[in-house]
Amino acid sequence: VQLVESGGGLVQAGGSLRLSCAASGFAFSTYAMCWYRQAPGKEREFVASITSGGITNYRDSVKGRFTISRDNAKNTVCLQMNSLKPEDTAVYYCYAVNIVSKYSYWGKGTLVNVSS
């Protein structure tokens, strides 16, 4: 099983980034896919999720700025991040979970650094 994130980097406040997570080794279409983030010195926190059926959910602080999407044909999930703020700076992790079996997997993360 692999979850490989990409697309992180350094961006100025107000800018945009698009994160991608490429999945392999499990039945991607049957898993809910999520993005979490962890800022330096802080706990990992939920950012966004998309169910196998396409229902999305976001933490309040990113609503209207971030959009999660998935492509089951390509086994990928993306996070489009617009109007980035310095407080969005964190390592962003891809997370897969099957609600029925409870199997879950984490990626290794990609760093997003938003400068003011």
Side-chain angles (χ1 to χ4, degrees):
V1 171
Q2 276 196 313
L3 292 172
V4 180
E5 302 95 336
S6 61
L10 176 63
V11 64
Q12 287 189 330
S16 298
L17 282 175
R18 184 175 179 83
L19 305 183
S20 294
C21 173
S24 61
F26 64 98
F28 179 82
S29 65
T30 67
Y31 279 65
M33 298 299 300
C34 311
W35 288 94
Y36 280 74
R37 67 187 181 188
Q38 187 167 18
K42 295 188 177 181
E43 301 217 342
R44 194 171 295 189
E45 63 183 20
F46 169 81
V47 176
S49 65
I50 184 166
T51 68
S52 57
I55 298 171
T56 59
N57 191 29
Y58 300 90
R59 72 178 299 108
D60 286 346
S61 62
V62 308
K63 284 180 180 177
R65 299 190 298 122
F66 291 10
T67 302
I68 189 171
S69 61
R70 67 188 297 159
D71 184 336
N72 289 337
K74 296 182 178 179
N75 285 8
T76 59
V77 60
C78 293
L79 185 68
Q80 178 66 43
M81 304 187 296
N82 299 328
S83 302
L84 283 161
K85 304 176 181 180
E87 51 264 43
D88 294 319
T89 293
V91 177
Y92 283 71
Y93 296 91
C94 182
Y95 176 67
V97 58
N98 185 293
I99 304 301
V100 175
S101 70
K102 308 301 183 187
Y103 288 130
S104 63
Y105 312 105
W106 286 97
K108 293 184 178 181
T110 185
L111 177 62
V112 172
N113 193 343
V114 185
S115 64
S116 56

